[in-house]
Amino acid sequence: MTQDLSRIRAFVQVFDAGGFSAAARQHGRSKALLSKYVTDLEDYLGVRLMNRTTRRLSLTEAGEAYYREASSLLQQLDDLDATIADQTAEPRGMLRISAPRNFGESTLAPAIFSYLAQYPKVTLDLRLEDRYVDLVDEGVDVALRISTLADSSLIARKIADMHVVMGASPDLIKRVGTPKHPEDLRHMPCIVDVNLQGQSNWRFTEDGKTISVPVTGPVRVNSPLAARTAAIAGLGFVVLPSYLAEPSVKTGELVPVLVDFLPTGQTLQAVYPHRRHLAGKVRALIDHLVEWFGIHPVH
């Protein structure tokens, strides 16, 4: 089998290089050995694969068909070898990660830095920004997103369960009352975070069905942290990820409302481009995050 692969690889190398002499220079083999391998392969197959002249080299019809399949086979074998080596070797190299700013600063950073301490040969490019990042175009290895996966060209792995909290300051509730049903929000001041899915159309669940309620208010902002500050100041009701809301709920600055109507099922996901083989550094990161958030659940 080893010799058969050597013959096949020699055939592909010779054609890719445009001749025996060029292939010999590129791959550090003798021209005579490459010629012998190709001749042996043709003898084994019982067909001529190459037309050889002093000036040019071309493939026969059989050679073209064999070249297509052989090139694909060798590429798959090379990919497999690289993948196994990557998985068994210690993760190393640059790792580019994208995540929402506030989540990254408050919750994700400790988990990421713990990963770096475990794998010191990995260097980090952590991009915290509240915008949609095109992983392929921007060369990002993995994005941490709080959502449901929408893009079928990407693949994702669940890291942890997430939930949202809706609340307002005690002063606002004293002034306008406590909403008993999501529809009550139509007539109450709300703080709109434009990063929130649906923006000013807030989604709730009732009897297993999703309902959407349009809301308005004195503040529109593109930061959940700023939205929290506005809510604490009594400017309106707000929907926040739990990791930002819970500290203010514990201090009494925010009072949760409509708890039974809030949607569930959101998750923290590691999203990465669809590739046949996942790089070892990315696989190790995802495994580390699953373990980390299993011990340090997101509240």
Side-chain angles (χ1 to χ4, degrees), residues 111 114 118 159-160 287-299:
S114 170
Q118 186 174 345
I159 301 298
D287 290 343
H288 177 82
L289 292 178
V290 170
E291 181 179 357
W292 174 275
F293 286 108
I295 300 171
H296 309 87
V298 182
H299 295 294

Side-chain angles (χ1 to χ4, degrees), residues 11-12 15 59-76:
F11 163 67
V12 171
F15 183 71
L59 296 179
T60 64
E61 184 176 349
E64 289 179 357
Y66 195 81
Y67 174 81
R68 284 194 301 270
E69 297 299 327
S71 297
S72 176
L73 172 63
L74 291 174
Q75 185 61 57
Q76 290 180 49

Side-chain angles (χ1 to χ4, degrees), residues 34-48:
L34 290 175
S35 180
K36 179 180 186 305
Y37 275 159
V38 172
T39 300
D40 287 348
L41 180 62
E42 289 177 325
D43 290 344
Y44 173 77
L45 295 173
V47 294
R48 178 175 290 276

Side-chain angles (χ1 to χ4, degrees), residues 83-140:
T83 300
I84 298 302
D86 198 22
Q87 290 177 355
T88 56
E90 181 180 3
R92 66 181 64 225
M94 175 65 72
L95 181 59
R96 296 175 176 85
I97 304 172
S98 170
R101 179 176 299 278
N102 294 133
F103 176 73
E105 292 172 345
S106 65
T107 306
L108 181 64
I112 296 291
F113 298 149
S114 170
Y115 166 83
L116 287 181
Q118 186 174 345
Y119 299 106
K121 293 183 180 179
V122 174
T123 55
L124 177 67
D125 179 0
L126 179 58
R127 306 174 184 181
L128 301 179
E129 47 195 347
D130 295 319
R131 68 177 181 87
Y132 177 82
V133 174
D134 189 309
L135 274 64
V136 176
D137 285 351
E138 299 184 41
V140 173

Side-chain angles (χ1 to χ4, degrees), residues 29 75 103 125 127 181 205 246 262 270 294 297:
R29 289 180 165 185
Q75 185 61 57
F103 176 73
D125 179 0
R127 306 174 184 181
H181 187 275
T205 58
E246 291 296 344
L262 293 176

Side-chain angles (χ1 to χ4, degrees), residues 18 52-57:
R52 307 166 178 80
T53 67
T54 54
R55 292 189 175 183
R56 62 187 299 270
L57 180 148

